[in-house]
Amino acid sequence: MGKEILKLKPSQLWKHFYDLSQIPRPTGQMKEVTKFVMDFGKSLGLEVKQDKAGNTLITKPATKGKEKVPTVILQSHLDMVPQKNNDVKHDFTKDPIETVIDGKNVKAKSTTLGADNGIGVAAMMAVLEDKTLKHGKIEALFTTDEEVGMVGANGLKKGFLSGSILLNLDTEEIGELCVGCAGGVDVNADWEFKEVKTPKGDIAYKITLKGLRGGHSGTEIHLGRANANKLMFYFLKEAVSNYEVRLASIDGGSLRNAIPREAVAVVTLPEEDEKDFLKLVKKYEKKYKEEYKSAELVDKLSFKAAKTDVPKTLIPEEIQDSLINAVVGCQNGVISMLTDFEGIVETSTNLARVASENGKISIKILARSSSEDRKDEIASSLESVFALAGAKVTVENGYPGWQPNAQSATLDMMAKLYKEMYKEEAHVVVVHAGLECGIILGSTPGLDIVSFGPTILNAHSPDEFVVIDTVPKFYDYLVKTLENIK
């Protein structure tokens, strides 16, 4: 299954990536994949240790003549984002990822691929087993549960690492040298209520919005893609206002760092409003296809209503109205741009999840910013919106951004090396995605850090793919970087 990638170059990297794809490793399920990398390090006769947070560190001694070269930490995270379309049968806790070669790209069959950050992990494994590479001491750090809360990085203790240079392999555009990233914080809003009986004579419809592109809520938030939760609630507000629609349940989005692609709501309404209600559904489908024709694949965008069994209970009207108003009023998408780095988002929010079940409604939002003050401000703004709507709001799992170091000797060397190897300038960037670098810097002060990687597009969505010809370029550059550190 997916073994055609074993024919790609560099062969050892793709071999390790294939092996990783056979191990279920969604965030929160790290035991098997951690054992896999620990056993790999031990099979090479290298020093292997693990901390209380589950992070694995494999140390490779310097080659002869390179003993005085500064120790380099290579770092990638082991977990992947588990995303699939609702009509796809795949259990991320049990099933392997089925990789396929699609023209110039490697992708998965209707699921996320896990190239984020599996390609980085595979590259580190290839470096560890390469006996021809000339290098100083290497510490290969495999962190856990990055995608939700950066758990592994946050659990690092002082003294676990001894290196002075950190090469993070989690950037997703070949030719980019990343020197800074945004921090983030979770804003969660919850309601509890007693469900009420559905009025007699009402009919019920299941409204389904699907076919949106979704994507990474950091690296792709600026592309103007639709948020399924926002679109569903714009519709619900008009339907409730004009057609006596009542909300029975809502299920939209999935993970906090993935732009929501799908949302499903079950509603009831008086039978005499059925015809007008269905016209409204068609109106909104047409509206969304027109509004997002530049950012979405509109032939895949679908907004439909199908008759369904009448639910026995509904969300109380006052909770329903508060929820709708809060979601419609919630800031979502790009909030501000950086002034010093053209085209880079400074602050954003992602209304990631809205779900109801058994007398409870839960909303999850990820706020990001390169500025700690603005991160706090946007979190406070979101807290106010939902608190005014009667929700219990918690702000948690904050992590710091990574501030650029203009005097980085490693960056200077790598920029010169890139131009020497590829006859073009590398792009020095600050990204809006959350990387573990700032957190690791907190536990190991003074690190000189650069992040880079191959081209990976549509991460955190079933459309994720890695561009094949960027992988050998990335790996060769990694190897040359290690050889050129003085």
Side-chain angles (χ1 to χ4, degrees):
M1 185 185 294
K3 287 190 175 182
E4 57 263 40
I5 67 171
L6 296 175
K7 299 176 184 178
L8 300 174
K9 301 293 183 182
S11 58
Q12 286 306 104
L13 185 153
W14 284 109
K15 174 186 176 298
H16 296 312
F17 184 73
Y18 172 79
D19 290 342
L20 280 169
S21 72
Q22 303 307 294
I23 303 171
R25 52 190 176 91
T27 306
Q29 186 173 314
M30 295 285 93
K31 186 175 180 180
E32 187 178 355
V33 70
T34 299
K35 182 179 184 302
F36 169 71
V37 294
M38 292 183 71
D39 288 347
F40 171 77
K42 291 173 183 176
S43 74
L44 298 174
L46 300 177
E47 178 188 348
V48 179
K49 63 179 181 178
Q50 188 176 43
D51 67 7
K52 291 182 179 179
N55 302 304
T56 298
L57 188 69
I58 302 176
T59 303
K60 186 179 184 183
T63 52
K64 190 174 181 180
K66 292 277 191 174
E67 294 86 357
K68 295 184 178 180
V69 171
T71 298
V72 176
I73 304 163
L74 299 180
Q75 186 263 320
S76 297
H77 62 84
L78 291 169
D79 59 319
M80 64 172 284
V81 170
Q83 282 275 285
K84 64 182 183 68
N85 294 323
N86 284 341
D87 56 355
V88 173
K89 291 184 178 180
H90 183 94
D91 186 343
F92 283 98
T93 68
K94 299 177 181 178
D95 300 334
I97 300 297
E98 188 171 355
T99 59
V100 294
I101 296 177
D102 182 12
K104 296 181 180 181
N105 309 315
V106 170
K107 58 185 298 187
K109 282 192 174 180
S110 302
T111 70
T112 36
L113 173 63
D116 171 16
N117 190 207
I119 292 291
V121 171
M124 288 166 57
M125 294 174 71
V127 164
L128 288 173
E129 70 179 352
D130 188 345
K131 295 181 180 180
T132 66
L133 179 61
K134 306 298 181 184
H135 57 80
K137 180 181 174 182
I138 294 174
E139 293 183 325
L141 175 64
F142 302 87
T143 51
T144 59
D145 294 332
E146 184 265 358
E147 298 291 3
V148 178
M150 301 196 180
V151 175
N154 276 307
L156 285 170
K157 302 297 183 184
K158 289 184 178 180
F160 190 66
L161 303 170
S162 66
S164 58
I165 296 171
L166 171 64
L167 300 180
N168 169 277
L169 308 182
D170 197 16
T171 292
E172 297 171 356
E173 183 66 43
I174 194 71
E176 284 189 352
L177 300 178
C178 179
V179 295
C181 73
V185 65
D186 293 338
V187 180
N188 304 318
D190 298 279
W191 285 266
E192 291 189 15
F193 53 87
K194 185 177 181 180
E195 294 169 316
V196 297
K197 291 184 179 180
T198 303
K200 291 182 179 180
D202 273 12
I203 58 174
Y205 272 89
K206 180 179 181 181
I207 312 162
T208 302
L209 171 62
K210 63 181 183 179
L212 300 179
R213 297 178 71 175
H216 193 299
S217 70
T219 58
E220 292 167 319
I221 198 70
H222 64 292
L223 298 178
R225 293 178 182 173
N227 180 304
N229 290 324
K230 293 291 283 188
L231 268 55
M232 178 62 78
F233 275 82
Y234 289 142
F235 167 81
L236 287 174
K237 184 172 183 180
E238 183 169 349
V240 167
S241 298
N242 296 334
Y243 301 109
E244 298 185 53
V245 166
R246 294 292 306 278
L247 181 62
S249 65
I250 180 71
D251 185 1
S254 56
L255 302 175
R256 53 190 272 288
N257 51 7
I259 301 169
R261 298 174 298 107
E262 299 178 346
V264 177
V266 175
V267 301
T268 66
L269 66 151
E271 191 167 7
E272 59 266 25
D273 290 324
E274 181 178 21
K275 188 178 292 186
D276 289 335
F277 171 78
L278 293 176
K279 284 182 180 179
L280 186 68
V281 173
K282 288 183 178 180
K283 169 189 166 183
Y284 269 79
E285 182 178 53
K286 183 179 179 181
K287 166 185 165 72
Y288 291 150
K289 287 191 173 188
E290 178 63 27
E291 185 176 352
Y292 291 96
K293 62 184 178 184
S294 298
E296 297 288 341
L297 303 173
V298 293
D299 57 325
K300 293 185 177 181
L301 193 162
S302 172
F303 188 66
K304 305 292 185 187
K307 213 160 191 178
T308 189
D309 294 337
V310 176
K312 293 181 180 180
T313 59
L314 302 172
I315 296 170
E317 194 166 7
E318 63 275 14
I319 298 292
Q320 163 197 282
D321 293 347
S322 295
L323 170 67
I324 291 172
N325 286 325
V327 172
V328 170
C330 172
Q331 294 183 79
N332 180 76
V334 175
I335 307 300
S336 63
M337 304 293 289
L338 284 171
T339 55
D340 296 333
F341 291 85
E342 186 177 352
I344 302 298
V345 178
E346 179 189 53
T347 307
S348 75
T349 62
N350 180 45
L351 179 61
R353 182 84 173 123
V354 183
S356 65
E357 187 177 17
N358 298 327
K360 294 182 180 181
I361 296 171
S362 175
I363 289 180
K364 298 185 182 300
I365 305 166
L366 173 57
R368 302 178 189 262
S369 184
S370 304
S371 161
E372 287 297 298
D373 286 342
R374 291 202 174 179
K375 184 179 74 175
D376 292 343
E377 287 169 4
I378 192 62
S380 179
S381 174
L382 294 168
E383 181 182 22
S384 295
V385 168
F386 287 97
L388 285 169
K392 178 183 178 182
V393 185
T394 55
V395 180
E396 59 187 6
N397 298 326
Y399 58 89
W402 161 33
Q403 296 301 313
N405 174 16
Q407 284 74 46
S408 169
T410 303
L411 173 64
D412 184 60
M413 179 275 290
M414 291 181 68
K416 291 175 181 176
L417 178 63
Y418 192 88
K419 187 172 183 180
E420 179 184 311
M421 291 178 67
Y422 302 115
K423 312 307 178 189
E424 62 184 23
E425 300 284 350
H427 299 288
V428 180
V429 300
V430 174
V431 298
H432 190 57
L435 296 172
E436 295 158 287
C437 303
I439 300 171
I440 297 172
L441 189 61
S443 66
T444 311
L447 285 173
D448 192 3
I449 309 174
V450 177
S451 177
F452 62 105
T455 297
I456 300 168
L457 296 176
N458 301 324
H460 299 188
S461 86
D463 298 320
E464 177 188 6
F465 65 87
V466 57
V467 180
I468 292 170
D469 64 8
T470 68
V471 176
K473 188 174 181 180
F474 153 68
Y475 186 70
D476 289 346
Y477 183 52
L478 169 61
V479 168
K480 289 295 184 183
T481 295
L482 291 171
E483 290 179 341
N484 276 270
I485 292 174
K486 307 298 183 184

